Amino acid sequence: MQGMTIAAVCLGPVASDARAADIAAPLGWSAAAGCPDRDAAASLLTAQLRGPLPEATGVQVDLAATGSGYVATIAITGTESFAARTLVAGDCDALARAAILVVAVAIDPVAVVGPSDPVDPLGAVEFDERAPRIPNPPLAGDRGAMRSGSADRDVSPDPPSRTRRRRARWGHAVRVAGGIGAQVVPSVMGAVQLGHAAIASLWRIESTATWLPPVARRYADGAGVRTQAFTLGVRACPSPRLGRVTVPVCVGVVGGPVRGRGTGVPRLTDGTSAWLAAEVGVAAIIAVHRRVGLVLGVDGFAALVRPAFHLGSRPDVLATPSVGGRGLLGIEVRLR
């Protein structure tokens, strides 16, 4: 499809309908309901060429209605340099004028714009406004579509600057996952996670909330410490796509409170400490539906703040490892 921005003139007297139909006989014209008819098109073509079509030249213009506007297909025989063209617009009147202008310029551009012609964008010929018209639906995407409006405006696509000003549209998804690993405590344990992702093109910004169930460590005499943790995380993820599979590669931070309680002692003691770690992760999100994906992920942690727990003057019975990791399996639902 080729879009054209053309400022042209229509000068000279317009031939009568009978005369225009005669000298524009090689003009083939097929138009949808509500579009200009062949007589109006022949009059405009005659005015622009200031005479008849060359005998060896044949023209065929087809105007058809589509679900998003109108499309014109233009073919010219007898002109070696002309390749078939297609124009699209939301207004059939403007599209017909542009199609005739393309034909006239392809056949004899000197006749269309002479050295003494003032610039008058197609204002000299009026189409029959009494014919019924199909409502003009907006064109999907506006790419390559010709703008229609008052007679003193060029037919041209939207300027690139308008497209550049359009903001990226963010989508959102929620996730529920479960898994196992060694994260806050130095033993393998379960984890339950809720997550949210803000998605734009090939990037994701993820936030997570993870609950780690209680785990206990004991001294030789039976006393010990029981801990549980709750963490919050945020990470940025470049997310390339491979067919139905999205592969987020994430870097971020995660942390939260770790609560400990003494067990096996006459007087219960409680304590809370903070845990903080740098996080890296990679996942595969496999689309099983337009809005639903199966999530398989692996995360690794490097502790920045490491809590430890002990009872009284006894040595630490539980201390956070310097590194850890976990695997997760879950479902992600795309909201929009």
Side-chain angles (χ1 to χ4, degrees), residues 26 60 66 106 112 149 203 239 260 321:
Q60 179 63 43
T66 68
V112 175
W203 278 90
S239 305

Side-chain angles (χ1 to χ4, degrees), residues 185-188 215-219 222-227 263 317-319:
V185 297
S187 61
V188 176
V215 61
R217 285 292 182 90
R218 299 183 181 278
Y219 295 101
V225 176
R226 177 186 176 91
T227 64
T263 61
V317 68
L318 187 149

Side-chain angles (χ1 to χ4, degrees), residues 59-101:
V59 178
Q60 179 63 43
V61 178
D62 296 314
L63 302 179
T66 68
S68 58
Y70 298 89
V71 59
T73 304
I74 307 168
I76 302 178
T77 58
T79 301
E80 297 180 358
S81 61
F82 187 85
R85 298 184 182 180
T86 301
L87 304 178
V88 179
D91 180 79
C92 196
D93 183 275
L95 183 61
R97 291 175 179 268
I100 290 300
L101 186 59

Side-chain angles (χ1 to χ4, degrees), residues 27-51:
L27 172 63
W29 186 266
S30 174
C35 295
D37 59 20
R38 183 188 180 281
D39 290 342
S43 296
L44 179 57
L45 182 59
T46 300
Q48 291 180 343
L49 290 178
R50 307 184 185 192

Side-chain angles (χ1 to χ4, degrees), residues 5 8 24 40 55 59 72 105 108 119 123 136 140 169 187 207 214 220 229 277 314 316 318 325 334:
T5 302
E55 293 183 0
V59 178
V105 170
D108 191 349
V119 176
N136 300 328
R169 299 185 62 182
S187 61
S207 55
R314 305 183 189 198
D316 293 340
L318 187 149
R334 186 77 175 260

Side-chain angles (χ1 to χ4, degrees), residues 7-21:
V9 300
C10 281
L11 294 177
V14 179
S16 66
D17 291 346
R19 177 61 176 160

Side-chain angles (χ1 to χ4, degrees), residues 88-192:
V88 179
D91 180 79
C92 196
D93 183 275
L95 183 61
R97 291 175 179 268
I100 290 300
L101 186 59
V102 169
V103 172
V105 170
I107 294 173
D108 191 349
V110 175
V112 175
V113 182
S116 61
D117 292 338
V119 176
D120 175 15
L122 302 182
V125 176
E126 297 292 336
F127 288 113
D128 186 3
E129 297 294 337
R130 295 171 297 175
R133 291 177 178 251
I134 298 175
N136 300 328
L139 289 177
D142 290 335
R143 182 183 302 177
M146 297 185 301
R147 295 157 54 189
S148 62
S150 61
D152 60 349
R153 296 179 64 183
D154 293 339
V155 178
S156 61
D158 286 341
S161 59
R162 181 179 301 178
T163 302
R164 289 195 296 267
R165 290 195 297 266
R166 292 174 182 170
R167 296 182 179 179
R169 299 185 62 182
W170 287 80
H172 297 274
V174 294
R175 176 189 301 178
V176 178
I180 58 173
Q183 181 177 342
V184 177
V185 297
S187 61
V188 176
M189 60 185 302
V192 177

